[in-house]
Amino acid sequence: MCRLARDGTAQGIASTSARVSGIVWDSTRAAPLGSSVVQMVHAEGLSAPRSTRADSAGRFTFDSVAAGVWLLAAQHPRLDTLAVDEVALRVAVTPGIASRVTLGVPSVGSLSRQLCGANHRDSTGYVSGQLRRADGDRAAATGSVRIKWTELAVSDGRLSRREVSVVSRTSPSGQYLLCAIPGSTQAIMQAWSGADSTGVIDVTLPPTSIARLDFTVGRTRYVRQVLDSAAAAADSLATVVVRRGDGRVRGVVTDSKGTPIANAVVAVVGSGQTERTAETGRFDVEGVATGTQLLDVRAIGFEPLRIPVSIFENEALITTFSMTKALMLDKVEIRAFRAIAMGQDMIDFEQRRKVGAGRYFGPEEMIALDPLRMATLMERVPGIRVASNGISGDQILMRGIGFSQFCTPDIWLDGNRIATDGTMDSFVQPQQVRAVEIYASAGSVPPQYATVSGCGVVVLWTGPRTPLEAVRR
């Protein structure tokens, strides 16, 4: 978007020059681009280039600009996120007449159409970035980048969830572009180059539907980790594959005031490597793959922290990770819950708990246990095994038909069956869950959750855990 206006104000300077002023505007956010660097270059090189910095409101002014045609351009870090080199327009300066201009970043739709072409979809944006090596000179790497998310769909009059995946090959300089990405979406991303890859990274796409995410890939070793040596020979699910390497992550976990947090659990997701922090809040996790990895930090009384970290070869800087206190619920008499105030789902849940053959964790247990990971609940149930699957977090395994066979259970979320490999962390957080039903064998599953895998079933219910919360919502 480029707009040029003239106010006809005569300048009190020599008639061979004039004033040029204006604003740098970001149409994707409907806000000014404050502190942009604005430059003017004479189209024929007859005058020296000019440069200034816009104020916090995006406004800029050039006085005594020589007559002629000038190229006006703005630069700002936000343009890197938008995959835009610069915003520019031509300005014809007339002696004695002030010019007012708007240097405008195009709208999301315009940018998406320009960059994505035939891959553009209405009401969507894009994710761009660069892939580099985490070893050697950290040069640009060629490879692929994938993003996956889950969206709701209606099929045969029924609401269902489906997984959507978009893959992009990088350019020779390591640049990638993923198109037709919806905004305000929870997704996971992973990049790879040859046999090396990043971890699986959680991302939250902004409402503007445009984001820039750079990745590094390093040397990765895939190691088979045995869950049950007696079962491994008969059942491949008795082992999982984890990602290892020569990387190292060191840091300090603190609260928002900088006080060290002891006994926090720190894990590099997909590596099978975890460590608890010392009294000083320090941790040191070795033997993990280099490159961009997802660090998971959990501590009692704090909100979980899942953050991407770049792990480089022969480098282990000490980084501070700050955690936020968890929101404390009002004190209530746990047994005073009334299912009727929680809705029909909880009424049905209580009925199944009375007569069912499963293991049940209701709102009162979820408050009392306050699990940091869904796996914490699963580990309490006989016949269930929890392991890192090396990709996206904790994998839930149940005993199958034979004593030494493992299988992945069907997982239901709020009445909908979810397509998953037995992992839960990618689509639900413990703080969102108010009740859990676990049926460790196919024979104990209620008819409405009939298993299609021949394995057991896990049923998750999200929502408020107290009647008071339900009313507030």
Side-chain angles (χ1 to χ4, degrees):
M1 178 184 71
C2 298
R3 185 172 69 250
L4 175 61
R6 298 181 181 278
D7 61 8
T9 304
Q11 305 295 300
I13 315 170
S15 60
T16 57
S17 65
R19 170 181 292 180
V20 176
S21 62
I23 187 172
V24 186
W25 187 258
D26 181 1
S27 297
T28 68
R29 289 179 169 175
L33 275 181
S35 301
S36 297
V37 174
V38 184
Q39 297 176 315
M40 292 189 73
V41 178
H42 197 281
E44 299 178 0
L46 300 180
S47 297
R50 306 277 299 272
S51 179
T52 188
R53 184 177 294 275
D55 63 16
S56 60
R59 297 170 300 203
F60 64 89
T61 299
F62 291 97
D63 286 317
S64 304
V65 179
V69 177
W70 290 76
L71 301 179
L72 193 63
Q75 296 178 330
H76 190 276
R78 168 70 177 162
L79 300 182
D80 292 335
T81 299
L82 301 175
V84 175
D85 292 331
E86 62 181 14
V87 179
L89 80 138
R90 296 170 70 90
V91 180
V93 177
T94 302
I97 305 231
S99 298
R100 292 201 309 271
V101 301
T102 296
L103 276 169
V105 177
S107 66
V108 172
S110 296
L111 286 173
S112 183
R113 282 189 290 271
Q114 291 173 21
L115 294 172
C116 295
N119 293 324
H120 167 72
R121 299 291 182 272
D122 290 341
S123 302
T124 65
Y126 54 88
V127 179
S128 63
Q130 186 175 35
L131 189 62
R132 290 185 174 276
R133 298 290 310 178
D135 46 40
D137 60 359
R138 304 180 186 178
T142 57
S144 298
V145 181
R146 177 175 57 206
I147 184 170
K148 294 196 299 184
W149 69 92
T150 301
E151 63 184 23
L152 296 176
V154 178
S155 177
D156 297 327
R158 298 181 61 184
L159 185 65
S160 62
R161 296 171 185 262
R162 66 187 183 99
E163 187 177 83
V164 183
S165 178
V166 178
V167 179
S168 170
R169 286 285 301 173
T170 67
S171 68
S173 62
Q175 303 289 336
Y176 75 88
L177 179 67
L178 295 161
C179 293
I181 311 300
S184 302
T185 300
Q186 300 285 335
I188 58 174
M189 294 185 67
Q190 188 173 27
W192 63 92
S193 177
D196 299 331
S197 71
T198 67
V200 177
I201 309 301
D202 295 345
V203 296
T204 301
L205 301 176
T208 57
S209 308
I210 296 178
R212 179 183 176 90
L213 297 167
D214 296 327
F215 294 98
T216 56
V217 291
R219 296 185 177 92
T220 305
R221 297 193 302 270
Y222 295 91
V223 179
R224 189 173 296 277
Q225 180 173 300
V226 178
L227 299 177
D228 187 331
S229 58
D235 186 2
S236 61
L237 282 176
T239 62
V240 293
V241 176
V242 295
R243 304 175 63 257
R244 299 285 173 81
D246 299 321
R248 182 182 183 186
V249 184
R250 298 191 298 170
V252 180
V253 179
T254 70
D255 62 16
S256 58
K257 296 180 180 179
T259 304
I261 300 175
N263 213 35
V265 179
V266 181
V268 176
V269 176
S271 72
Q273 302 283 69
T274 62
E275 184 173 314
R276 290 185 178 271
T277 57
E279 291 295 326
T280 58
R282 289 181 175 269
F283 68 89
D284 190 345
V285 182
E286 297 182 290
V288 298
T290 53
T292 304
Q293 307 295 333
L294 185 64
L295 193 71
D296 185 285
V297 186
R298 310 275 174 139
I300 295 175
F302 292 87
E303 296 288 346
L305 180 65
R306 289 170 71 89
I307 184 171
V309 294
S310 293
I311 304 174
F312 295 102
E313 190 177 68
N314 301 319
E315 179 181 299
L317 300 177
I318 297 177
T319 306
T320 298
F321 300 91
S322 179
M323 304 189 74
T324 303
K325 281 279 190 181
L327 178 64
M328 301 302 293
L329 298 174
D330 296 334
K331 289 185 177 181
V332 297
E333 290 295 327
I334 292 180
R335 295 301 175 187
F337 282 109
R338 303 201 179 272
I340 189 67
M342 303 286 282
Q344 188 63 45
D345 289 341
M346 288 300 94
I347 294 176
D348 295 340
F349 171 85
E350 292 298 340
Q351 289 296 324
R352 288 190 294 274
R353 173 147 64 171
K354 289 179 181 179
V355 301
R359 180 67 185 271
Y360 303 86
F361 297 91
E364 63 273 22
E365 288 90 2
M366 295 301 292
I367 290 177
L369 294 172
D370 193 22
L372 298 178
R373 298 157 44 239
M374 291 305 302
T376 304
L377 295 179
M378 306 301 158
E379 291 167 340
R380 292 172 170 264
V381 181
I384 291 184
R385 189 180 294 275
V386 178
S388 169
N389 70 348
I391 300 297
S392 57
D394 296 319
Q395 184 178 30
I396 311 303
L397 301 175
M398 293 183 177
R399 289 289 187 184
I401 298 174
F403 179 79
S404 64
Q405 292 181 330
F406 288 93
C407 57
T408 55
D410 291 351
I411 296 178
W412 290 70
L413 178 66
D414 294 335
N416 297 287
R417 183 185 282 115
I418 302 298
T420 177
D421 59 356
T423 59
M424 300 181 189
D425 294 338
S426 62
F427 62 83
V428 68
Q429 293 295 316
Q431 292 77 15
Q432 299 172 306
V433 177
R434 62 174 168 177
V436 180
E437 305 172 46
I438 304 172
Y439 302 96
S441 65
S444 64
V445 178
Q448 62 266 45
Y449 304 122
T451 175
V452 297
S453 65
C455 197
V457 169
V458 177
V459 182
L460 307 174
W461 298 100
T462 62
R465 294 177 177 174
T466 73
L468 179 60
E469 285 183 288
V471 171
R472 286 174 176 170
R473 292 190 181 193

